[in-house]
Amino acid sequence: MRALVIDDSRAMRTILTKQLGKLGFDVAQATDGRDALDLLDTGYVPDVALVDWNMPRVDGLSFIKAVRARDDLRDVSLMMVTTESEQRNIVRALAAGAHEYVIKPFTEEVIGEKLALLGLVGV
């Protein structure tokens, strides 16, 4: 299984990469939505992308909309992982095509539970 971690914080990318690695994922990283879209344009297709909202160049919501507009990426599960906790932002992300929404800070268990809900890991 492949995972893509998209976050402008090196520390957050490291934390999520370690957690996903423990769950058996091969993990790629991107520093923002533009870098992530460039990676997808090379033919890399992850099973899941964990996406921060607030990033330079292309933010997480714009990234999700861009992925959802592409037929070749329709099977990619998208999980927003962000500090954005307002209900309206959660609704916006889910309406744009995110499958799950995790508010920072989070625990390893929460990430595992969300991936299990998506059918990507065993419970």
Side-chain angles (χ1 to χ4, degrees), residues 58-107:
V58 175
D59 66 33
L61 187 63
S62 298
F63 171 82
I64 287 172
K65 290 176 180 178
V67 168
R68 285 295 159 244
R70 290 178 50 175
D71 286 341
D72 62 321
L73 300 174
R74 71 174 168 268
D75 294 333
V76 176
S77 294
L78 298 171
M79 183 187 310
M80 188 71 83
V81 182
T82 179
T83 57
E84 292 291 332
S85 59
E86 289 184 31
Q87 186 67 32
R88 68 182 182 89
N89 285 338
I90 296 170
V91 170
R92 285 175 66 203
L94 296 174
H99 296 96
E100 290 294 339
Y101 198 99
V102 176
I103 299 169
K104 297 174 186 175
F106 53 83
T107 63

Side-chain angles (χ1 to χ4, degrees), residues 36-51:
L37 290 169
D38 290 346
L39 177 60
L40 296 176
D41 286 341
T42 69
Y44 178 84
V45 179
D47 296 288
V48 64
L50 284 70
V51 187

